[in-house]
Amino acid sequence: MYRGRFAPSPTGPLHFGSLVAAVCSWLDARAHEGEWLVRIEDVDEPRCRPHWGGEILRTLERLGLHWDGPVVWQSRRKEAYRAALERLRRAGLAYPCACTRREAAGRYSGRCRNGLPEGAAARAWRFPVPPGRVGFHDRWQGWFEQDVEEEAGDFILLRADGCFAYQLAVVVDDAGQGVTHVVRGADLLDSTPRQILLQQALGLSQPLYLHHPVAVDGAGRKLSKQNRAPALDPSRDCENLRAALALLGLPPPAEADGAALLSWAVARWRERWTAGAQPAAPSFSASPGPKDCSAR
Ligand code: GLU
C-alpha cells in the first residue's frame, strides 16, 4: 500500500514553492491510488506559528488537495522523538555536545565526540556519523550519494534550546506514519543521506524518494519564506496550479480547467510515473477540484 505525505513547516503561509511540493506529493499518491497524509512540521517551535498551520490546511482544501486521515503536528510528538533519542543513546549512537553555535558553525569537527571537555555541560545531542558514502536511488534525480561525515559531520539530534532536530523528527514520523514514498523538493536531497543513516541506526525501513525540481525567483534563489516568497493569491488558484504542474513537467492544455485540471494531472502522472501505468484515464472526469477554478 502506497502512503505519501506533505510536510510543510508553519513558518508562514503556503507560497508557490511549497505548493509545488504539495501538488507533486498529492499527484504521486493519487496516481498510485495511495493515501496522502499531511504533517505540520512545527518541531522548530521558535520559528513556527500554529495559525500558519491552520492557514496552510485551509489553502490545501481550497485548492482541492484533500488529505487522508488526521493531520499530525510535530509539536505533539515529542515523546516519540525522546524515545528515539534514548534508543540511539543506549546504542552509543548519540553523544552530548557542549559546543556553542559559534564553536560548531559549519561542518562540525567532532570535538565532543570522545567526551565533553573538562567541566563543560551538555548543550545538545549529536549523531556520530560513520565513515563512508551513503547513496540511494531517487526516482527523479537518479543515483545520489554523499560522504556525510565530510559534508555534514556529526549532526544535531536535540538542539541546545530543547527542540528536536528536523532530521530526527522526520525519520521518526515517516516511520511512525508508515510512509512508503517521500516526495519533496530537491533542496532536501542532501538531507536524505542523514535520514537514511538514522533509519539504519533505529532499524526503520527506508521509504522510496522522489525529489522534484524547486521553484526559483528571478535571481535563481529557491522560493522560500526566508526569501519572502509571497502567499498564494486566492484569486489566482487556477493559474498557480497550472504553473506548478508546468514546473513538474505537465503543462496543462488550455481546456483542462476547473475541477478537471487535477484529474487530468493525475492521469498524466500515472502514465509517466507508475510502474503498472494504465492507459490514459478519461481526461476530464469531474472530481472535487479547486473552487472557483473555472471562474477565471
Ligand atoms: N518541513 C520541511 C519543509 O517545509 C519539509 C520536510 C520534508 O518534506 O521532509 O521544508
Side-chain angles (χ1 to χ4, degrees):
M1 174 65 183
Y2 179 112
R3 189 174 282 170
R5 54 38 162 211
F6 172 53
S9 302
T11 52
L14 205 68
H15 55 77
F16 183 72
S18 38
L19 173 68
V20 175
V23 168
C24 191
S25 55
W26 181 88
L27 272 182
D28 200 50
R30 295 300 176 238
H32 283 86
E33 276 150 38
E35 290 175 351
W36 186 64
L37 312 180
V38 173
R39 180 169 73 232
I40 301 291
E41 297 210 322
D42 56 349
V43 69
D44 185 350
E45 289 183 89
R47 286 184 56 231
C48 296
R49 297 286 173 274
H51 75 271
W52 288 127
E55 176 81 23
I56 289 170
L57 295 173
R58 280 188 292 279
T59 306
L60 292 174
E61 275 179 335
R62 191 184 77 218
L63 289 161
L65 301 173
H66 304 292
W67 59 88
D68 300 299
V71 172
V72 165
W73 295 70
Q74 287 190 324
S75 53
R76 298 178 200 156
R77 299 260 308 143
K78 287 179 199 156
E79 274 320 304
Y81 310 145
R82 211 179 307 285
L85 178 61
E86 182 57 20
R87 266 172 66 196
L88 291 172
R89 205 182 59 74
R90 283 191 194 181
L93 293 173
Y95 68 84
C97 174
C99 297
T100 60
R101 222 184 159 126
R102 203 153 161 198
E103 287 164 334
R107 179 195 163 282
Y108 184 58
S109 65
R111 184 163 159 242
C112 297
R113 195 197 262 223
N114 298 316
L116 294 175
E118 191 70 23
R123 292 167 47 82
W125 284 78
R126 291 183 183 269
F127 180 78
V129 173
R133 300 183 75 76
V134 179
F136 67 101
H137 174 79
D138 187 81
R139 293 169 55 214
W140 189 305
Q141 312 286 336
W143 182 253
F144 180 82
E145 63 175 35
Q146 192 183 54
D147 183 330
V148 183
E149 193 187 22
E150 199 172 290
E151 290 183 37
D154 292 352
F155 55 90
I156 296 272
L157 299 168
L158 177 65
R159 303 187 334 197
D161 65 0
C163 285
F164 287 94
Y166 156 70
Q167 307 291 357
L168 180 68
V170 79
V171 161
V172 169
D173 287 342
D174 282 338
Q177 292 186 281
V179 168
T180 58
H181 291 68
V182 170
V183 173
R184 60 188 178 192
D187 53 312
L188 289 165
L189 192 57
D190 67 354
S191 281
T192 305
R194 273 171 279 177
Q195 294 172 18
I196 290 173
L197 285 176
L198 286 179
Q199 285 153 2
Q200 291 170 350
L202 289 163
L204 305 172
S205 56
Q206 187 180 318
L208 291 175
Y209 288 98
L210 184 156
H211 290 85
H212 61 74
V214 295
V216 292
D217 65 14
R221 291 174 310 183
K222 182 199 133 182
L223 284 190
S224 68
K225 285 145 207 159
Q226 287 90 322
N227 293 339
R228 302 216 175 81
L232 294 172
D233 174 352
S235 70
R236 295 184 53 84
D237 281 350
C238 213
E239 287 83 349
N240 284 328
L241 277 174
R242 296 176 70 86
L245 291 169
L247 194 143
L248 294 169
L250 298 180
E255 66 274 20
D257 210 345
L261 182 58
L262 289 175
S263 38
W264 172 86
V266 170
R268 296 290 87 71
W269 192 269
R270 184 177 293 134
E271 283 167 9
R272 186 181 319 167
W273 287 102
T274 62
Q278 311 283 320
S283 297
F284 302 114
S285 62
S287 79
K291 293 198 188 85
D292 304 330
C293 214
S294 44
R296 288 192 303 159

